[in-house]
Amino acid sequence: NAGVTQTPKFRILKIGQSMTLQCAQDMNHNYMYWYRQDPGMGLKLIYYSVGAGITDKGEVPNGYNVSRSTTEDFPLRLELAAPSQTSVYFCASSPTSHSQGAWYEQYFGPGTRLTVT
Amino acid sequence: AQSVTQLGSHVSVSEGALVLLRCNYSSSVPPYLFWYVQYPNQGLQLLLKYTTGATLVKGINGFEAEFKKSETSFHLTKPSAHMSDAAEYFCAVTGSGGYNKLIFGAGTRLAVHP
């Protein structure tokens, strides 16, 4: 199992450009998430998905969009990049097992470091 | 609403010394609590978790944490620090509304010096 994979690892964008951060998991998890991590702020949830075709906003969704056409993939789209979107982005997934706590164990990808200048 | 407070954004210990990372939470429902560790330039990995039952939980790499409901705390400890423990540690609590949402603390960066 590769687990959760993310591409690219690093990216520099100019203000106003757009890009898609890719995320894939091979664990057949239904739940997937996108977070951003800023220094001293912990992780903030951007969007999440409970299955193919179902997505919803998290705590900080403005400036981002997602889609979930398959169980495996959960791309994050930035349409008009702004300096405030400079951050490290993590994708995560979690299983739907009914054993206690397993629902809440999230498996993280290695992250994408994005700089907008 | 659920929230997590980690006391001390930076903690420094000597190799072999006790590690204590503090986490307090607020939750309107019985919480599930987690500690995650992030090594430099990597994603987060689960260190340990509390769901129900025994309040002292053991995790990987010799870490453990104790759930204290009366103090709304879930502090992380390790009896003897190793250089390889240097990392950032995040406490998390289950959010409301289901769908496995986690609320993370701001993180504590642990430095271990010889």
Side-chain angles (χ1 to χ4, degrees), chain B residues 33 50 60 69 73 82 93 103 108:
Chain B
L33 292 155
Y50 167 79
I60 60 173
K69 184 179 178 181
S73 69
H82 192 272
V93 65
I103 307 299
T108 296

Side-chain angles (χ1 to χ4, degrees), chain B residues 77-100:
Chain B
T77 60
K78 182 174 180 177
S80 176
H82 192 272
M83 298 294 288
S84 61
D85 295 327
E88 190 154 21
Y89 293 80
F90 293 92
C91 182
V93 65
T94 44
S96 60
Y99 303 126
N100 303 16

Side-chain angles (χ1 to χ4, degrees), chain A residues 33 37 94 100 103 105-106, chain B residues 36 38 49 52 94 100:
Chain A
Y33 316 83
Q37 183 183 28
S94 66
Q100 281 186 345
W103 276 19
E105 288 189 35
Q106 296 189 14
Chain B
Y36 282 83
Q38 183 182 30
K49 67 182 181 187
T52 59
T94 44
N100 303 16

